Amino acid sequence: MSQLITEAGQDARPLSVARRCQVVSLSRATYYRMRQRDRPVLRDMELRDQLQRLVLQWPMYGYRRLTHALRRQGVLANHKRVLRLLREDNLLCLRPRRGVRTTNSHHGLPTYPNLVPTVRLNGLNQLWVADLTYIRLARELVYLAVVLDAYSRRCIGWAVDRTLEATLAVTALNQALATRPVGPSLIHHSDQGVQYASTAYTDLLKSHQIRISMSRRGRPQDNAQAESFLKTLKYEEVYLVEYDDLADARVRLGYFLEDVYNRKRLHSALGYRPPAEFEQGLRSTTRA
């Protein structure tokens, strides 16, 4: 019905709707009804194709984040429609279960009060959050320590190693210090784990005049942003990849953190923009 019917000897020009209906003995009402019936199916097919491509690229995205990813590509679709198509095609992501604990807060080292509730963020380098987690390789466990800027959600320091000693966290902190300006207004927040309470770590913070803040014992929600980041890391990278060894894990995690998470992954708290793009927008606004 959607094919063009042409008159012979008239340079293959398309017929009018009235003439098409006359040729096939069809009423105009039926013709338009059939066209409207076919359009939603065609639109769904096109959207399904675009959704499947996005899900292959971002297998752990939820329907809201996928909706915003479509909009960045110029495709306008209601989030309810996106959810319906994902359900129909069995493309909704599943969350794996949790694993090994890495925090040991039962130690005799000094701890510090939680300063985060006193902070109202309005720029970069006001609050850094830090945490660490384990990563299972084929034959061993390795550990990852990270430091994030709480305002932009950007990962600014990270380290991977076989040890859970304080040197792991110190390496990640040194990377952040090498790339970011610091001052006495900066607060560093972590849990009360022995790595972050160690003399090596706290002395490094104090030498840069960084104020120290720690979560209350047994209250992981006090460091919710870092916990959320590690959950994202596990679901969107670690659980989807089999690392051969420590060197392989270091290369792949570095690519995910620097190129995927910082530069491509959309963050709902940033207006569905990647951290690097968000920070660039802040700089452009400041210059203007």
Side-chain angles (χ1 to χ4, degrees), residues 50-122:
Q50 290 164 316
L51 274 174
Q52 288 168 6
R53 293 174 188 273
L54 279 173
V55 169
L56 286 174
Q57 184 180 4
W58 304 100
M60 303 308 291
Y61 267 16
Y63 71 95
R64 293 186 185 276
R65 209 178 303 271
L66 286 169
T67 302
H68 283 273
L70 286 169
R71 289 177 184 174
R72 289 170 65 88
Q73 296 180 359
V75 179
L76 296 180
N78 184 278
H79 69 276
K80 295 179 181 179
R81 183 180 171 208
V82 171
L83 177 60
R84 173 178 62 81
L85 294 178
L86 290 172
R87 279 176 174 164
E88 290 176 359
D89 293 347
N90 197 28
L91 294 176
L92 288 173
C93 62
L94 300 177
R95 301 291 191 180
R97 62 180 182 274
R98 298 181 63 182
V100 180
R101 292 188 61 182
T102 55
T103 301
N104 174 20
S105 57
H106 299 284
H107 51 73
L109 297 168
T111 58
Y112 298 81
N114 182 8
L115 302 178
V116 173
T118 67
V119 182
R120 186 172 183 178
L121 297 179
N122 55 21

Side-chain angles (χ1 to χ4, degrees), residues 6-33:
T6 59
E7 291 276 15
Q10 294 186 1
D11 301 325
R13 289 177 296 176
L15 293 175
S16 66
V17 172
R19 181 60 178 147
R20 296 180 201 179
C21 293
Q22 182 182 359
V23 169
V24 296
S25 301
L26 191 70
S27 69
R28 293 181 65 175
T30 302
Y31 171 83
Y32 284 117
R33 201 161 44 242

Side-chain angles (χ1 to χ4, degrees), residues 125-127 183-187 209 211:
N125 302 312
Q126 296 176 345
L127 174 64
S185 62
L186 173 60
I187 295 174
Q209 298 182 303
R211 291 188 288 166

